[in-house]
Amino acid sequence: MKLEKGLIHVYTGDGKGKSTAALGQAFRSCGRGLNALVLQFFKPASQESGEHALAGPEGRGLGRIEFRRGQSRHPFFDKKADREAIKTEVLDLLEDVAQEWEDWDLVVLDEVNNVLRDKFIDWTDFEAWLNRKPATVELICTGRGAPQALIDRADYVSEVKKIKHPMDQGIAARKGVEY
Amino acid sequence: MKLEKGLIHVYTGDGKGKSTAALGQAFRSCGRGLNALVLQFFKPASQESGEHALAGPEGRGLGRIEFRRGQSRHPFFDKKADREAIKTEVLDLLEDVAQEWEDWDLVVLDEVNNVLRDKFIDWTDFEAWLNRKPATVELICTGRGAPQALIDRADYVSEVKKIKHPMDQGIAARKGVEY
């Protein structure tokens, strides 16, 4: 697969998430059959990292990665979406995780910031769920509009600020890059 | 492998790179033998994405991912680093890529913004290299202090702003998360 148009991305600033954003992009693109080269400066071989272990020949002790998804689209994109059904779905998905905390070392709640912002779960319910998280589990919450209560509770907080976005030039999401 | 202490990350804001930062983190952690669960809200199965193709059972048409690294550390961390050797290394690494542009669909230049900021390559030389990039190749440049000339040239620019960082609480980089 070749992209029709390859763009240039820049991830800059003093927050965490620049290199991992690039890595995540590389792995996503890989999943579409694109060939990705990651050229790293100032990270000599003596500083081996998890991504090398995954991608390199030595990648033998790999953990597993599992994706799970809610069935609903956000009401902003799906006018027929049922708010109550979404609330139930969110609670169910989170409860399933809480039942199997011990199986996971890292849990990503992708777009959960929007879930909280738009009150598909109350902060108190989410906080109760958070309180059940074992100390050894790393939790990552993404999405716009993270509520202040979550920011207060978090250890790592990065604000990813849009400086330029191709959508503003009328370039639509491209298979292999944006999804 | 279990983390000694699992932190909470938040990637928020209106720029690109929040979900991919989380994904990159998940894959990196995977490479360390951690088990990662990615729970996605508002991304139903009808919106299949490259990361699912990579991680799921249907991940058959995978592209390849290759990591290459310069041997030098940044002079900020290695007082004995030879600036001229770094300049040569940077030029060589970039020239190798230019010789095989057709092999790649996506190229990450990890930390290249620092390389440019600290003049290990002149902008004019880098720009000449950029001008050789085929239109179909997606290029990702990471690192602090991206120069304005690169920002002007880029399509996607996100500023990842630190709101909170565990290092500020004295928590050192942890295998499986930060590297």
Side-chain angles (χ1 to χ4, degrees), chain B residues 159-170:
Chain B
E159 184 194 349
V160 182
K161 252 188 90 177
K162 178 177 79 165
I163 309 291
K164 271 189 188 178
H165 199 295
M167 217 178 273
D168 299 336
Q169 309 169 42

PDB file of all heavy atoms in Angstrom, chain B residues 159-170:
ATOM      1  N   GLU B 159       1.719  20.797  19.458  1.00  0.00           N
ATOM      2  CA  GLU B 159       2.601  21.127  20.570  1.00  0.00           C
ATOM      3  C   GLU B 159       2.130  20.332  21.783  1.00  0.00           C
ATOM      4  O   GLU B 159       0.977  20.481  22.215  1.00  0.00           O
ATOM      5  CB  GLU B 159       2.552  22.628  20.884  1.00  0.00           C
ATOM      6  CG  GLU B 159       3.541  23.004  21.973  1.00  0.00           C
ATOM      7  CD  GLU B 159       3.304  24.395  22.554  1.00  0.00           C
ATOM      8  OE1 GLU B 159       2.511  25.156  21.976  1.00  0.00           O
ATOM      9  OE2 GLU B 159       3.895  24.680  23.604  1.00  0.00           O
ATOM     10  N   VAL B 160       3.011  19.465  22.280  1.00  0.00           N
ATOM     11  CA  VAL B 160       2.656  18.649  23.440  1.00  0.00           C
ATOM     12  C   VAL B 160       3.151  19.395  24.676  1.00  0.00           C
ATOM     13  O   VAL B 160       4.350  19.496  24.907  1.00  0.00           O
ATOM     14  CB  VAL B 160       3.295  17.250  23.349  1.00  0.00           C
ATOM     15  CG1 VAL B 160       2.888  16.398  24.532  1.00  0.00           C
ATOM     16  CG2 VAL B 160       2.893  16.573  22.040  1.00  0.00           C
ATOM     17  N   LYS B 161       2.208  19.947  25.394  1.00  0.00           N
ATOM     18  CA  LYS B 161       2.563  20.815  26.520  1.00  0.00           C
ATOM     19  C   LYS B 161       2.535  20.033  27.817  1.00  0.00           C
ATOM     20  O   LYS B 161       1.566  19.327  28.106  1.00  0.00           O
ATOM     21  CB  LYS B 161       1.527  21.948  26.635  1.00  0.00           C
ATOM     22  CG  LYS B 161       2.052  23.297  26.224  1.00  0.00           C
ATOM     23  CD  LYS B 161       1.065  24.408  26.522  1.00  0.00           C
ATOM     24  CE  LYS B 161       1.239  25.008  27.903  1.00  0.00           C
ATOM     25  NZ  LYS B 161       0.301  26.134  28.135  1.00  0.00           N
ATOM     26  N   LYS B 162       3.591  20.174  28.567  1.00  0.00           N
ATOM     27  CA  LYS B 162       3.631  19.495  29.856  1.00  0.00           C
ATOM     28  C   LYS B 162       2.717  20.217  30.848  1.00  0.00           C
ATOM     29  O   LYS B 162       2.883  21.400  31.095  1.00  0.00           O
ATOM     30  CB  LYS B 162       5.052  19.493  30.406  1.00  0.00           C
ATOM     31  CG  LYS B 162       5.166  18.837  31.779  1.00  0.00           C
ATOM     32  CD  LYS B 162       6.584  18.780  32.265  1.00  0.00           C
ATOM     33  CE  LYS B 162       7.031  20.120  32.815  1.00  0.00           C
ATOM     34  NZ  LYS B 162       8.266  20.018  33.613  1.00  0.00           N
ATOM     35  N   ILE B 163       1.780  19.491  31.401  1.00  0.00           N
ATOM     36  CA  ILE B 163       0.968  20.037  32.487  1.00  0.00           C
ATOM     37  C   ILE B 163       1.468  19.411  33.798  1.00  0.00           C
ATOM     38  O   ILE B 163       1.622  20.093  34.798  1.00  0.00           O
ATOM     39  CB  ILE B 163      -0.538  19.729  32.275  1.00  0.00           C
ATOM     40  CG1 ILE B 163      -0.997  20.132  30.863  1.00  0.00           C
ATOM     41  CG2 ILE B 163      -1.382  20.391  33.355  1.00  0.00           C
ATOM     42  CD1 ILE B 163      -1.045  21.615  30.575  1.00  0.00           C
ATOM     43  N   LYS B 164       1.730  18.098  33.724  1.00  0.00           N
ATOM     44  CA  LYS B 164       2.292  17.381  34.882  1.00  0.00           C
ATOM     45  C   LYS B 164       3.255  16.328  34.372  1.00  0.00           C
ATOM     46  O   LYS B 164       2.975  15.681  33.355  1.00  0.00           O
ATOM     47  CB  LYS B 164       1.188  16.622  35.635  1.00  0.00           C
ATOM     48  CG  LYS B 164       0.490  17.371  36.716  1.00  0.00           C
ATOM     49  CD  LYS B 164      -0.392  16.355  37.466  1.00  0.00           C
ATOM     50  CE  LYS B 164      -1.293  17.040  38.453  1.00  0.00           C
ATOM     51  NZ  LYS B 164      -2.173  16.050  39.123  1.00  0.00           N
ATOM     52  N   HIS B 165       4.325  16.103  35.082  1.00  0.00           N
ATOM     53  CA  HIS B 165       5.303  15.074  34.699  1.00  0.00           C
ATOM     54  C   HIS B 165       5.821  14.417  35.976  1.00  0.00           C
ATOM     55  O   HIS B 165       6.209  15.131  36.903  1.00  0.00           O
ATOM     56  CB  HIS B 165       6.450  15.706  33.910  1.00  0.00           C
ATOM     57  CG  HIS B 165       7.244  14.710  33.112  1.00  0.00           C
ATOM     58  ND1 HIS B 165       7.985  13.711  33.686  1.00  0.00           N
ATOM     59  CD2 HIS B 165       7.373  14.561  31.778  1.00  0.00           C
ATOM     60  CE1 HIS B 165       8.554  12.992  32.730  1.00  0.00           C
ATOM     61  NE2 HIS B 165       8.200  13.487  31.559  1.00  0.00           N
ATOM     62  N   PRO B 166       5.827  13.080  36.019  1.00  0.00           N
ATOM     63  CA  PRO B 166       6.229  12.412  37.272  1.00  0.00           C
ATOM     64  C   PRO B 166       7.668  12.721  37.684  1.00  0.00           C
ATOM     65  O   PRO B 166       7.993  12.623  38.869  1.00  0.00           O
ATOM     66  CB  PRO B 166       6.038  10.920  36.981  1.00  0.00           C
ATOM     67  CG  PRO B 166       5.791  10.797  35.532  1.00  0.00           C
ATOM     68  CD  PRO B 166       5.374  12.125  35.004  1.00  0.00           C
ATOM     69  N   MET B 167       8.508  13.086  36.697  1.00  0.00           N
ATOM     70  CA  MET B 167       9.885  13.425  37.068  1.00  0.00           C
ATOM     71  C   MET B 167       9.903  14.600  38.053  1.00  0.00           C
ATOM     72  O   MET B 167      10.772  14.691  38.908  1.00  0.00           O
ATOM     73  CB  MET B 167      10.697  13.753  35.817  1.00  0.00           C
ATOM     74  CG  MET B 167      12.128  13.258  35.911  1.00  0.00           C
ATOM     75  SD  MET B 167      13.036  13.604  34.395  1.00  0.00           S
ATOM     76  CE  MET B 167      12.651  12.176  33.404  1.00  0.00           C
ATOM     77  N   ASP B 168       8.922  15.465  37.908  1.00  0.00           N
ATOM     78  CA  ASP B 168       8.829  16.612  38.823  1.00  0.00           C
ATOM     79  C   ASP B 168       8.495  16.173  40.251  1.00  0.00           C
ATOM     80  O   ASP B 168       8.676  16.927  41.193  1.00  0.00           O
ATOM     81  CB  ASP B 168       7.771  17.615  38.329  1.00  0.00           C
ATOM     82  CG  ASP B 168       8.119  18.170  36.947  1.00  0.00           C
ATOM     83  OD1 ASP B 168       9.309  18.159  36.586  1.00  0.00           O
ATOM     84  OD2 ASP B 168       7.193  18.590  36.226  1.00  0.00           O
ATOM     85  N   GLN B 169       7.974  14.952  40.367  1.00  0.00           N
ATOM     86  CA  GLN B 169       7.742  14.383  41.709  1.00  0.00           C
ATOM     87  C   GLN B 169       8.883  13.459  42.103  1.00  0.00           C
ATOM     88  O   GLN B 169       8.762  12.713  43.071  1.00  0.00           O
ATOM     89  CB  GLN B 169       6.463  13.527  41.758  1.00  0.00           C
ATOM     90  CG  GLN B 169       5.194  14.140  41.231  1.00  0.00           C
ATOM     91  CD  GLN B 169       4.104  13.063  41.110  1.00  0.00           C
ATOM     92  OE1 GLN B 169       3.930  12.215  41.983  1.00  0.00           O
ATOM     93  NE2 GLN B 169       3.367  13.085  40.013  1.00  0.00           N
ATOM     94  N   GLY B 170       9.940  13.446  41.295  1.00  0.00           N
ATOM     95  CA  GLY B 170      11.095  12.604  41.620  1.00  0.00           C
ATOM     96  C   GLY B 170      10.963  11.157  41.185  1.00  0.00           C
ATOM     97  O   GLY B 170      11.727  10.299  41.622  1.00  0.00           O
TER      98      GLY B 170
END
